[in-house]
Amino acid sequence: MALAKDYDSVMGRSNEIMKKALGLDYNDFESGSVAFDYEALMKSTGYTLDEIAKIQSEHAVGNTPLIELRNLSALSRKYAKPGYGARIFAKDEAANASGSFKARRAACAVAHAKKLGYKGVIAATSGNYGAAVASQAAMQGLKCIIVQECYDSHGVGQPEIVEKARKCEAYGAEVVQLTVGPELFYSFLSILEDTGYFNASLYSPFGIAGVETLGYEIATQCRERIGKDPEMVVCTNAGGGMMTGTARGLIKAGAVDTKLVSASIDLSGLSMASDEAFNKKSCTTGHTGFGVPYATDPDHSDVPRSAARPLRYMDRYVTVKQGDVMYITEALAQLEGIERGPAGNTAVAAAFALAQELPEDAVIVVSETEYTGAGKHIQPQMAFARENGIEIKFGDPDKEDKPGVNLVLPKDPSYLRIQEADIKHFRQSLIKKSCKKRGVTNPTAEDLQFLADETKTDIEFVKNTLGL
């Protein structure tokens, strides 16, 4: 008998669909309360760091260059107090097959799908991950479907997202393009059920384990180049996988004193679920519309428990403005001769300002660069912004930026600044949401320790947050 395919029926079968599509039963890690065994979930991949590195090396992924951005460092130093202005390096992840760090996640997930005998893989993503999965599926001989939230209700798509669809199709993937709204997860589940393909989720342990090699390489390359670990690593933050995997890799390399900073574009007040607001943003990834919700509620993803849990690892969360990212993209190209896309440049913009806090002999590493292409260039993005009524001007982004209204480019490099996000508030929000979601008013000792680990705090902080 055919299964009912209405929205409620499909959503009601989500756990069953996910179990079949991942070959993984998340119930094995649950406590029955707030806590779950995160480290056991990560170990469930069955792969060591060396085995993942081997998979990646066999599929044109990993061991990417660490590039010193000497000219940007020198420019940043001009605005620092005497003796300050750290050396800025960037891990050039554009060198991976498909052109972004997401290839690390995809190589691991697709290899595992092939090992388990799946005929194809599916991913729900509007970003670089779709191209990464499509590339790895082509390389490893599997079919691929990418489900993409692409258009508003008028059929108008973001240039960057449309560009990524073309890249997926170039690798031979089928791309299912949807309008913004709740149909994404429903369609994703329905296609998973109909095809029996593997869920190559961004948030599975296979995907996050794939990023651990990035953090490990940062530590080992810094030791080889400069004889020490970096003082700071800056990760662009959206769904949290970059921060989580990079941090875990640094820890496995023994770089436990490196400070970890998340950076997102400030899109405060611009709802990501709004049809009207969908095309009002000028950057489609690495912004607070994803970064904050996924940091404070990581389990609202396409798996029962997300392996991307950034608040476990980050020491600071900073934001930059859309105009800052556009400006630093041009600066990177014209001062360093490196043309790269906006997602990685979010962290470059933050690093430019953060470097001024550190002494000249300190090292700050931007964890990624990404490829750039037709729709990912700042020119079509700014042209698209104008078409949607966004004012573009030079000025002071800190004072004048209004997401959805304007795009303010810094009038000179001294206006490239960061804003400190309230990470304490985010930690408190995660704790409260976790208990509310599970209906827990009297958390166990295991719950309290889990929440302390989740927020990189302690049990006393958790108790105070919950008023216990």
Side-chain angles (χ1 to χ4, degrees):
M1 185 171 65
L3 294 169
K5 299 297 284 185
D6 61 279
Y7 182 88
D8 289 338
S9 296
V10 171
M11 298 302 287
R13 295 194 297 272
S14 62
N15 287 340
E16 178 188 343
I17 294 168
M18 285 296 178
K19 185 176 177 180
K20 290 179 180 177
L22 273 166
L24 191 65
D25 188 349
Y26 280 79
N27 289 326
D28 293 343
F29 312 107
E30 292 292 347
S31 67
S33 187
V34 173
F36 81 99
D37 195 335
Y38 176 59
E39 290 302 330
L41 174 65
M42 291 304 300
K43 288 177 183 176
S44 71
T45 63
Y47 300 103
T48 65
L49 189 67
D50 287 342
E51 287 169 336
I52 290 171
K54 184 174 185 294
I55 289 169
Q56 292 174 345
S57 69
E58 290 172 349
H59 298 99
V61 176
N63 197 28
T64 55
L66 183 69
I67 301 174
E68 183 167 7
L69 305 179
R70 292 182 177 87
N71 295 329
L72 274 183
S73 298
L75 181 62
S76 173
R77 198 165 288 161
K78 286 181 62 176
Y79 300 98
K81 63 184 180 182
Y84 279 69
R87 299 165 66 186
I88 305 171
F89 290 74
K91 197 76 163 77
D92 195 16
E93 290 294 284
N96 286 313
S98 80
S100 78
F101 90 95
K102 299 286 179 65
R104 294 179 185 266
R105 301 166 94 154
C108 185
V110 173
H112 190 70
K114 186 172 183 178
K115 176 183 175 181
L116 295 180
Y118 287 86
K119 301 300 182 185
V121 291
I122 300 178
T125 168
S126 299
N128 288 336
Y129 189 57
V133 173
S135 169
Q136 287 298 314
M139 200 177 294
Q140 300 189 43
L142 296 185
K143 294 180 179 179
C144 179
I145 300 173
I146 301 300
V147 184
Q148 188 188 63
E149 196 174 56
C150 185
Y151 301 113
D152 65 14
S153 59
H154 301 290
V156 179
Q158 282 272 346
E160 186 178 352
I161 298 175
V162 173
E163 163 72 14
K164 289 167 183 172
R166 284 197 291 264
K167 194 168 177 72
C168 294
E169 290 173 337
Y171 291 126
E174 177 185 350
V175 180
V176 178
Q177 296 182 318
L178 306 171
T179 54
V180 63
E183 65 175 312
L184 176 68
F185 193 45
Y186 159 77
S187 299
F188 175 63
L189 284 172
S190 183
I191 296 169
L192 274 175
E193 187 173 53
D194 292 344
T195 60
Y197 286 2
F198 182 78
N199 176 14
S201 169
L202 276 164
Y203 306 105
S204 77
F206 309 105
I208 302 306
V211 188
E212 291 181 3
T213 57
L214 174 56
Y216 196 89
E217 287 175 24
I218 289 172
T220 55
Q221 287 176 327
C222 281
R223 290 165 187 168
E224 290 167 2
R225 289 274 298 276
I226 55 179
K228 65 174 183 176
D229 295 332
E231 275 73 17
M232 183 180 289
V233 172
V234 187
C235 299
T236 299
N237 194 58
M242 164 62 82
M243 170 56 71
T244 304
T246 301
R248 290 178 62 84
L250 284 163
I251 291 166
K252 288 185 177 182
V256 294
D257 294 325
T258 298
K259 296 299 180 186
L260 293 157
V261 181
S262 285
S264 295
I265 300 168
D266 181 5
L267 291 188
S268 300
L270 206 59
S271 171
M272 294 305 102
S274 164
D275 177 61
E276 181 182 352
F278 183 70
N279 285 325
K280 293 288 186 181
K281 57 187 183 295
S282 299
C283 294
T284 63
T285 189
H287 54 67
T288 53
F290 291 135
V292 174
Y294 277 90
T296 59
D297 185 14
D299 293 326
H300 78 292
S301 66
D302 59 358
V303 290
R305 288 287 197 175
S306 175
R309 312 190 82 82
L311 282 179
R312 282 181 168 251
Y313 302 102
M314 71 174 77
D315 295 298
R316 293 171 67 180
Y317 197 150
V318 302
T319 62
V320 295
K321 305 298 186 181
Q322 294 178 95
D324 295 333
V325 178
M326 304 293 183
Y327 189 95
I328 207 72
T329 297
E330 285 285 272
L332 183 66
Q334 295 183 19
L335 296 180
E336 300 288 356
I338 301 173
E339 188 182 34
R340 297 292 184 265
N345 288 342
T346 299
V348 177
F352 185 88
L354 288 163
Q356 296 165 41
E357 301 178 3
L358 301 173
E360 289 183 352
D361 62 350
V363 170
I364 182 168
V365 176
V366 174
S367 63
E368 63 164 323
T369 66
E370 59 161 347
Y371 83 96
T372 193
K376 288 165 69 71
H377 278 283
I378 63 171
Q379 290 90 345
Q381 289 178 329
M382 289 195 289
F384 187 72
R386 283 196 182 96
E387 291 169 9
N388 282 275
I390 305 298
E391 179 189 12
I392 300 175
K393 63 179 182 178
F394 285 91
D396 184 345
D398 275 3
K399 295 179 179 178
E400 300 175 68
D401 178 80
K402 295 180 181 179
V405 174
N406 62 22
L407 196 161
V408 183
L409 299 159
K411 56 186 175 183
D412 68 56
S414 69
Y415 288 86
L416 270 166
R417 307 187 191 107
I418 55 168
Q419 300 80 42
E420 203 75 35
D422 189 349
I423 194 171
K424 179 181 177 182
H425 173 73
F426 296 160
R427 288 167 171 157
Q428 291 170 327
S429 179
L430 183 147
I431 290 166
K432 292 174 182 177
K433 286 179 180 178
S434 297
C435 290
K436 183 178 180 180
K437 182 181 284 189
R438 300 282 164 172
V440 172
T441 56
N442 188 25
T444 65
E446 184 183 8
D447 291 334
L448 294 173
Q449 185 59 59
F450 171 80
L451 291 169
D453 293 340
E454 281 280 273
T455 53
K456 205 176 183 179
T457 58
D458 53 37
I459 290 176
E460 193 64 27
F461 180 88
V462 176
K463 286 183 174 179
N464 288 337
T465 298
L466 295 173
L468 299 177

